[in-house]
């Protein structure tokens, strides 16, 4: 079975999902920004809680540094976040991931964002983001 980005592979009514963020765990945001920024030609754009958004790493995909207390072998230090094209897609994407063999590990709800931390069938973690109402879905970042 080969990978496919063809929207015709979706069941009728299913949303197109895209990788929105590539997230790198780090202990020191400034130190990591000093490494990843010059390496990839990026500069910090905004900080939100324990996250530092570094700009576009790939078309439509932003590099985000996530401050953690420690980087451990039992959690992948690099993961990606996915989202649909609108707020209503969140529950559908989570349900689709579960139907395909994924599971919810945790949920996070803050004023600025909501996400479901999930694991694929092999235990690799990723997040499903809910786009807050009133905030645009930036597909060109």
């Amino acid at each position: 079975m080969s990978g496919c980005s063809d929207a015709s592979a979706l069941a009728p009514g299913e949303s197109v999902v895209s990788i929105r963020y590539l997230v790198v765990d780090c202990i020191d945001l400034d130190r990591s920004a000093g490494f990843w920024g010059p390496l990839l030609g990026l500069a910090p754009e905004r900080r939100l809680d324990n996250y530092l958004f570094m700009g576009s790493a790939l078309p439509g995909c932003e590099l985000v540094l996530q401050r953690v207390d420690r980087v451990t072998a039992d959690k992948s230090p690099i993961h990606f976040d996915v989202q649909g094209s609108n707020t209503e897609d969140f529950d559908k994407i989570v349900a689709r991931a579960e139907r395909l063999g994924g599971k919810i590990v945790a949920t996070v709800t803050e004023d600025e964002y909501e996400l479901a931390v999930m694991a694929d069938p092999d235990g690799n973690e990723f997040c499903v983001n809910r786009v807050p109402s009133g905030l645009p879905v930036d597909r060109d970042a």
Side-chain angles (χ1 to χ4, degrees):
M1 178 181 228
S2 64
C4 180
S5 61
D6 182 0
S8 67
L10 297 172
E14 286 191 321
S15 305
V16 173
V17 178
S18 62
I19 295 175
R20 178 67 184 99
Y21 300 108
L22 176 62
V23 184
V24 178
D25 288 355
C26 59
I27 295 170
D28 182 323
L29 285 175
D30 293 327
R31 181 182 66 196
S32 292
F35 173 79
W36 288 107
L39 182 67
L40 300 176
L42 303 174
E45 293 184 349
R46 69 186 186 285
R47 198 177 285 241
L48 175 64
D49 298 328
N50 291 322
Y51 303 95
L52 182 58
F53 295 79
M54 296 293 295
S56 182
L58 297 166
C61 182
E62 191 170 351
L63 176 68
V64 179
L65 305 177
Q66 174 179 275
R67 194 191 67 71
V68 297
D69 293 329
R70 59 193 174 95
V71 177
T72 64
D74 63 336
K75 179 186 178 290
S76 176
I78 299 176
H79 71 275
F80 56 83
D81 291 9
V82 301
Q83 72 183 36
S85 57
N86 62 60
T87 304
E88 294 78 31
D89 291 340
F90 179 81
D91 295 323
K92 292 176 184 177
I93 295 166
V94 170
R96 185 186 326 164
E98 289 180 309
R99 189 173 63 250
L100 294 168
K103 65 178 182 174
I104 296 175
V105 174
T107 56
V108 177
T109 304
E110 298 290 341
D111 290 340
E112 299 88 359
Y113 59 91
E114 179 178 2
L115 56 89
V117 180
M118 302 196 70
D120 71 8
D122 291 312
N124 299 304
E125 289 187 2
F126 65 99
C127 296
V128 178
N129 291 321
R130 181 185 302 271
V131 178
S133 59
L135 291 179
V137 177
D138 187 359
R139 291 282 181 217
D140 297 322

